[in-house]
Amino acid sequence: MSAPADQLPPGWAAEWDATHQRYLFIETASGHTQWDPPAAGPVGLENAPTGSPPPVHHGKRRQYAAGQTQAYYSGDAAAADPTYAAQGAGLQAQPQQGQLFTPGLAVENQFAAQQQQGGQPSAGAGQPSYYAQGEPEYINGPAFNQQPQYGQPQAPVDALAGQFGQMGMGGQKQFQLYTTNLLTSPPEPRDLQRPPPEIRLPPNSCISPSPTANADPSYFRSTINAIPTTSSLLSKSKLPLALIITPYRSLNDGEEAVPLVSDAVIARCRRCRTYINPYVQFIDGGNRWRCCMCNMTNEVPQLFDWDQIRNQPGDRWARAELNQSCIEFVAPTEYMVRPPQPAVYVFLIDVSHTAVQSGMVATATRTILENLDRIPDEEGRTKVAIICYDVSLYFFSLPQGTTDSSMLVVSDIDDVFLPKPTDLLVNITESRASLEALLGRIGDMFQENSIIGSAMGPALQAGFKLMAPIGGKIIVLSSTLPSVGAGALKNREDPKILGTAKESGLLQAASPFYKTFAIECSRTQVSVDMFLFSASYQDVATLACLPHYTSGQTYYYPAFNAGRTEDAMKFAHEFGELLATPIMLEAVMRVRASRGLRMASFHGNFFVRSTDLLAMPAVPQDQSYAIEVQIEEAITTPFVVFQTAVLHTTCYGERRIRVITLALPTTTNLSEVFASADQVAIITFFANKAVERSLTHKLEDSRDYVFQKLVELLVSYKTSMTSSGAGASAQLAISDNLKMLPVLVLGLLKNVGIRQSAQIPPDIRAYSQALLTSLPSQLLIPYIYPTFYSLHNMPPEAGTIGEDGVVLPPSLPLTSERFERHGLFLIEDGQTIFLYVGRDAVPQLIQDVFDLPSYDVLRGGKTTLRPLENPFSQRVNAVVQKIREMRRGVYYPHLYIVKDDGEPPLRLWALSMLIQDRADVLPSYQQFISSLKDKVNGAGGTGY
């Protein structure tokens, strides 16, 4: 028997009502609903539900040839069957022209190649091809064994979407808004791999046909990809408007380097100082250009069209700044306060008894020695100094041309001075022999040191005096709480206040010394990185102040012991990678935006020098920043432009300006605002706001803030975008592109940085907060929503080499319901990897992976997994290795074996990553969604 959907006339949709177990019929134009089937017509609705529960598909883009868009919108029965292009939420719509159109391809003959490929544009600029493929339905997908969903994922949300079809951006077809019912749509981890909603600019807004003319999301992304024209429309949506910027991200193998403009011709707007970019307009026969930010007309520089290398007229349209969203200019002398300085690295090494006994000193010196060739030193200018400290300071004089070095001890830590004017800060190349000899001896020198105590503050002051005239990076390696001299700290860890309102006090700096010193460092272009190793309380919250204000980074290794190979390997890998990573020196960053937009607040590791100038003494790779944006006045332009400019010195001694440009359309339509929202950018911004509120208010306030923001968003969506309006609803509706936001918020609420618990040590919490505010989205998402794989039954191709390297198994929802007692599972969050072994695992599995006869003799805990001579072991090792290498950043996650009936603390730690389960006082995903529904419907109750 055919389903009701098969006999519906045009303009009607059928929706399954789970409560009454029957179909509800909806007239899409008016929103009218009825139980009785409407008069049957010959044309079946393509997207109506069938008799069986509908599978979840994601919005498909329709392409229309000339004249068909109008026919479709006017309800003309002559509308031809659409062809389907690439999948993805809100992809490129086609304007009403005789040929298919992609923004930027404004010249007619540029369409030819596109049309030869069946007229299907790519799924998004610079996106990997897999985004454009149809996705298989896994049995754990939202549609498996589910009741039909609220709303149809491919149908417009309600009458509003259809009525405004002709309106929106630049005469284009608007974003299609698809509604999902969170009650019947469980989280699907694959959705987090999708690109953000497409940026759909008006025709002719870009002067370049280049697919890289708009910023790649890994550099620059916005929480909303269609900017509301008024602040009232933005506040009605309850969506945050913020930018997530990673200006200096690392390049993966095969990625092209950022284009360099080396001819010193830098065209900037006279009024707002915007750099010329693909969104300006040339007027007056190409002699002048109009700024896309403030509309000022500017002269085109005389040498703009001259090829200085060949000394002949050049092609303006081939210039990188008119084709690329991310470029670098070689800065002329007017952008320099002083000549570019060499890179300087000063190592402050704790040599107290604890540090030596843990093996930290030996591992650190060996790592520096092994990585001397990797420290950026292309021009032979890089300088290095080594200062050791316990309760005294130990300087080392490293004369050129000899292997000798002499140690100079300064015991007066109240008035720090440099014991010698020269040979303390030396050129790596010139003093290589003495440097290598010293690094080989430091471990033995302090082997018998029995002094307990740390003069970290005076050591910092000494390092600062040494390098203040130049600037550079101080790398502190510390195993104990600073106890003497400036910046001495006391152990303030108090288990009684954990989990109470006073706990947030432990996350704030205990001493003003570190913030004051950090600002002094920022002023003289000195950045600080912290490597902390203590087995007991080390006050990470206070010490992390230094990297926070000087654009450094904090690394924490609790209970470090180099006697465990895994500890030594993790530290040596991360420290070595940090030393080898190129850095930007003496940087300042400013973000400009079109008229009507203002940068309101800044989050990340830097110091705000003036209202919008961010000072960064050294910009490490893959560090992320969040900037909140305010709409100050109504926006009248069809699109807006954001531009990030970072003026910096490369570690190779060249002054440069990195410019990243992002253009976004504007809209007056609330449905487009929702359809263009980027859930990954939103949760990245929420993580920064939550940490800020935990420090300015209380931890509980930060959790309530995030939860309340989610409730407000869901209320706004229900009120504005569904037929329920302000009344109660049996559903919990959200747009399809935001359906992972609730589970991401739950993951953030369960993250150790802000989780409700009386068991989390303050150091662990403070370190987690440092990660939440500095990780780029690619690393932050797994840190909030870990990845969960089943290894014992992974597909045959998983763990083997595919087109894009090692193939990973399909990821599973984060719930213990997926566990099998005989299975082997992997859970990872980018910082830690757990191999979870079921208690009924067959001996052959244990033998193949761990080279042990049975589950009973397997020991849980930190381990190194060795590849064995069998295919399954090699595949499991390949998966672990891929996980360690696939993301940006220096992190090398530890691997733990967790037994189903093993040590409770380790088992609970692993299970806490399954955030969709209930844990302690924290709700399961189903409970969380139910409480959200009650809040949205006004049933109230406090908290979640």
Side-chain angles (χ1 to χ4, degrees), residues 842-854 868 870 873:
V842 293
Q844 188 63 47
L845 176 70
I846 305 297
Q847 183 72 48
D848 284 352
V849 179
F850 305 107
D851 200 19
L852 292 168
S854 70
L868 305 174
N870 69 77
S873 166

Side-chain angles (χ1 to χ4, degrees), residues 475-498:
I475 298 175
V476 183
L477 302 112
S478 168
S479 286
T480 40
L481 189 70
S483 57
V484 294
L489 299 170
K490 292 185 172 62
N491 187 339
R492 53 183 180 147
E493 188 175 30
D494 183 355
K496 295 197 292 294
I497 67 172
L498 297 184

